[in-house]
Amino acid sequence: MSNDNKPPLTGGSPHGTTELVTFSECPQKHGFKYGLKFESIHRPDSADSRDTGTLVHVGLANFYGAQIKPVPLWVEDPYLAVVKQAQSSGWMHLLKSSVETVREYIKVRSAKPVFGPIVAVEDPCETYIATSDGKTHIITTRLDLVAYYRGSLCSINHKTSVRLSYAEPDRAATTRLQFMLELVLARTKYSNVKWVLVNPVQTSRNREGPKIGDPKIVDISPHAFSRLGRDISFYKAMISAVQSAYPNPLDRPRSYQCMSRYGLCEFHPLCSQGYEALSQYKRVA
């Protein structure tokens, strides 16, 4: 983020990496989220986990923002920033676990710093990717942290989700797609970015306290990176095909669990053997 008086922003983008990843996880979920603008109420615990993650991101943004020289004007005390975000978003019931997580993170990373110097925090970036079908697609994201790790500049992704934090990040096809897109975007703004890192920050759950894991380098092969344009073209074509074949998102195939367990297959947009029914939604105002 630039050195101005704007606070770190959170949230997705209609052209962001999340849309492609959502479709690759589940065409029906994609239809609800991006077609009907619905939000799931099927798993309220998942919503709490997501919102807690947002609060933790706010705390970490201010923790690392204070390490940029000169310090950006938006930086404030990390705990105060979390409280303000919780109050403004109506998430006060998540405040305790979020503050505990941020406090544990700052304790661990202050005792043994692993990132530095810090280059940018919550940094928006975009790029245009030309695909083999002759189309150009805008892809946007917000980089959680750009900093040096073991002497190399990296894009660092804070992950509070257990599934993404502690699983091998380079084994899940959908996760790999997300990180390849992030690497492209990071290199658009910082040409010398070498890796994408997962920074595991498991929030406290029930009686378990927060857990701060070691950074994990996402292993992206040059071959996979070079075919990214073709993969994006494939996803965009499949999104159009599914939208045409299933105008009503209720009828679209589900494949979330299949994808998370087994990765991509050639037929996943037509697969109706998903294990998770995404049927309870509310419209987002």
Side-chain angles (χ1 to χ4, degrees), residues 59-234:
L60 269 53
N62 282 274
F63 171 63
Y64 283 116
Q67 300 176 40
I68 299 175
K69 304 302 181 185
V71 177
L73 297 178
W74 54 262
V75 171
E76 58 185 338
D77 178 82
Y79 308 114
L80 178 60
V82 172
V83 171
K84 288 182 177 180
Q85 185 69 50
Q87 289 175 333
S88 63
S89 302
W91 298 338
M92 291 302 291
H93 63 295
L94 305 175
L95 181 61
K96 181 179 178 181
S97 62
S98 301
V99 169
E100 287 178 350
T101 302
V102 173
R103 181 179 290 113
E104 180 66 15
Y105 185 91
I106 292 176
K107 175 184 175 182
V108 171
R109 291 290 189 251
S110 296
K112 187 179 179 181
V114 294
F115 305 130
I118 308 300
V119 175
V121 173
E122 293 290 334
D123 198 13
C125 54
E126 67 179 32
T127 190
Y128 294 86
I129 296 181
T131 52
S132 57
D133 57 3
K135 297 180 180 179
T136 300
H137 305 280
I138 181 173
I139 306 292
T140 64
T141 196
R142 189 174 293 276
L143 305 175
D144 291 347
L145 178 65
V146 180
Y148 284 85
Y149 174 73
R150 296 180 179 175
S152 297
L153 188 63
C154 300
S155 176
I156 298 151
N157 196 308
H158 307 312
K159 284 298 182 185
T160 56
S161 166
V162 175
R163 180 172 67 87
L164 290 181
S165 294
Y166 290 93
E168 290 298 324
D170 58 337
R171 296 187 63 181
T174 55
T175 306
R176 188 167 59 246
L177 171 65
Q178 175 188 354
F179 291 132
M180 283 195 293
L181 288 168
E182 182 175 330
L183 185 59
V184 170
L185 287 155
R187 287 178 176 174
T188 299
K189 204 163 191 177
Y190 307 96
S191 60
N192 58 330
V193 167
K194 186 174 183 179
W195 296 311
V196 171
L197 298 183
V198 171
N199 184 30
V201 188
Q202 184 177 343
T203 56
S204 57
R205 297 169 181 271
N206 300 322
R207 296 183 179 180
E208 296 182 6
K211 298 179 181 178
I212 313 303
D214 294 327
K216 302 175 185 292
I217 297 174
V218 181
D219 184 15
I220 300 175
S221 70
H223 172 71
F225 191 77
S226 66
R227 59 169 283 172
L228 183 58
R230 186 174 70 179
D231 288 345
I232 292 175
S233 181
F234 169 80

Side-chain angles (χ1 to χ4, degrees), residues 28 31-32 36 242-253:
Q28 188 185 68
F32 275 111
L36 297 179
V242 169
Q243 288 172 338
S244 298
Y246 305 95
N248 183 358
L250 281 168
D251 299 328
R252 291 181 187 171

Side-chain angles (χ1 to χ4, degrees), residues 263-281:
L264 276 173
C265 77
E266 291 296 325
F267 306 101
H268 85 268
L270 304 178
C271 173
S272 60
Q273 302 302 313
Y275 293 93
E276 182 174 350
L278 303 174
S279 58
Q280 299 181 38
Y281 283 74

